[in-house]
Amino acid sequence: MHVEDVEFTLKELIKKAYAKPNGEIDNERLQTASSRLYEQRNDQSGSRKPKSFDDLTLGDYINLLMSKDVWNFCTSILDFEKSSLSELLEKVRQVRNDLAHFRKEISARSRDELKYCANWLRSRYQDYEKRQQPNLVEELFKSSNKLESVIAVKEQAAVYKPESSATNQPRIGKLGQSRYAALANWLSQQHEDEVILTFDQIQEIIRSPLPDSALQLRAWWANDRVGHYHSILWLEAGWKVTYVNLDDKYVFFARIAKDGKL
């Protein structure tokens, strides 16, 4: 999971480098950069179609981070010597490859380096996010006390009721049995466009503790429509995670725009 967390944070940093003045990601520029990188590394897969940004490899994300435009944006955020960071990230990539192909047992030193890299990147990116929205947390906490709503939902059955077509009913049935169905229900009942929940409040809603990965890794909170049942649930309920603070233990959820863009 630490490798996934490193990759998640790299992707977030790169997307921020290609953001428009209003904060929205310039997907055209991002895809152009991804396609150019794909062509430069002379991929031998035989596919002529460039990969999308989300389909790149960890090595690709590292190369994008080190590219001129992205690195210029990230220099003040990371405050780290470029060559040293490149070396550290290359070690992470190697560990990831070894784990993926079961090549050898990962040494204690490699595990420590991986954990350090994941925690350091998370901390730097989290500090950056705080600087971008210094008053947002305080304003949301003042304007909305969700504890009573959380307690009320706790007394209700955790039955997930998505608005979905018949084509994905088998998957919906499996998701509906998840404890995170209650969180999806709670979000679907909200009238605001943005809400903030502490980890304690989320645990009240789902009636059980969050896993260690949710408490330690930003990647657990990624808006993933494929690999994570919990995020599929909140996405299909019409919400996305926009910010998570693992130190202070709270998360922002925002309603997904009508065009479905994250």
Side-chain angles (χ1 to χ4, degrees):
M1 284 293 289
H2 285 299
V3 174
E4 185 180 356
D5 214 41
V6 169
E7 183 171 310
F8 171 79
T9 306
L10 290 182
K11 290 170 68 174
E12 292 301 299
L13 281 166
I14 294 166
K15 286 191 288 187
K16 292 294 185 183
Y18 288 101
K20 300 176 183 177
N22 63 2
E24 294 182 1
I25 305 303
D26 190 331
N27 289 309
E28 184 176 346
R29 288 183 60 219
L30 182 61
Q31 184 55 48
T32 298
S34 302
S35 300
R36 184 166 57 246
L37 178 69
Y38 181 82
E39 294 168 357
Q40 287 175 349
R41 68 185 178 90
N42 192 26
D43 192 278
Q44 300 298 316
S45 65
S47 173
R48 296 183 179 180
K49 183 179 179 180
K51 291 184 179 181
S52 68
F53 175 73
D54 287 329
D55 292 331
L56 296 177
T57 66
L58 176 57
D60 291 331
Y61 295 128
I62 294 172
N63 287 333
L64 270 177
L65 178 72
M66 297 298 159
S67 65
K68 182 178 179 180
D69 290 343
V70 178
W71 183 254
N72 286 343
F73 172 82
C74 292
T75 298
S76 61
I77 299 173
L78 299 176
D79 191 23
F80 204 86
E81 184 180 10
K82 185 176 181 179
S83 59
S84 298
L85 180 57
S86 178
E87 181 179 348
L88 179 60
L89 290 173
E90 178 57 28
K91 290 180 180 179
V92 171
R93 189 190 68 82
Q94 187 60 56
V95 169
R96 185 261 175 218
N97 288 345
D98 289 342
L99 288 172
H101 298 96
F102 305 100
R103 288 174 179 163
K104 60 182 179 180
E105 184 69 23
I106 304 303
S107 68
R109 179 175 180 177
S110 294
R111 292 184 186 278
D112 288 343
E113 289 176 337
L114 175 57
K115 185 176 180 180
Y116 167 80
C117 186
N119 291 338
W120 175 79
L121 273 175
R122 185 199 78 202
S123 176
R124 297 306 302 165
Y125 185 70
Q126 192 164 275
D127 288 345
Y128 163 74
E129 287 184 310
K130 285 181 179 179
R131 293 196 299 271
Q132 298 307 300
Q133 43 190 8
N135 300 318
L136 183 56
V137 175
E138 183 178 353
E139 291 173 0
L140 282 172
F141 270 124
K142 284 183 178 180
S143 64
S144 181
N145 182 359
K146 295 297 180 184
L147 189 55
E148 290 184 5
S149 299
V150 168
I151 294 174
V153 171
K154 183 181 177 182
E155 303 303 322
Q156 300 174 8
V159 179
Y160 182 46
K161 301 175 181 178
E163 296 179 0
S164 303
S165 63
T167 58
N168 60 4
Q169 285 305 308
R171 186 182 71 164
I172 295 304
K174 193 170 184 178
L175 290 176
Q177 300 172 17
S178 169
R179 57 180 169 165
Y180 302 106
L183 176 59
N185 279 344
W186 186 88
L187 288 168
S188 68
Q189 295 168 11
Q190 305 311 301
H191 301 292
E192 300 92 342
D193 290 329
E194 189 172 43
V195 297
I196 184 172
L197 286 171
T198 65
F199 288 2
D200 285 342
Q201 289 173 327
I202 292 176
Q203 291 175 145
E204 286 287 311
I205 292 174
I206 65 176
R207 309 182 205 178
S208 60
L210 285 164
D212 289 343
S213 53
L215 305 179
Q216 300 170 8
L217 303 173
R218 290 177 59 92
W220 191 92
W221 298 96
N223 296 302
D224 185 350
R225 294 187 184 275
V226 179
H228 298 162
Y229 281 171
H230 51 277
S231 59
I232 293 172
L233 281 162
W234 69 57
L235 289 168
E236 291 189 348
W239 290 77
K240 63 181 178 180
V241 169
T242 57
Y243 176 69
V244 59
N245 188 307
L246 298 181
D247 294 334
D248 297 328
K249 297 180 172 55
Y250 61 82
V251 58
F252 290 176
F253 286 94
R255 196 180 301 278
I256 296 174
K258 291 183 179 180
D259 59 11
K261 292 182 179 180
L262 296 180

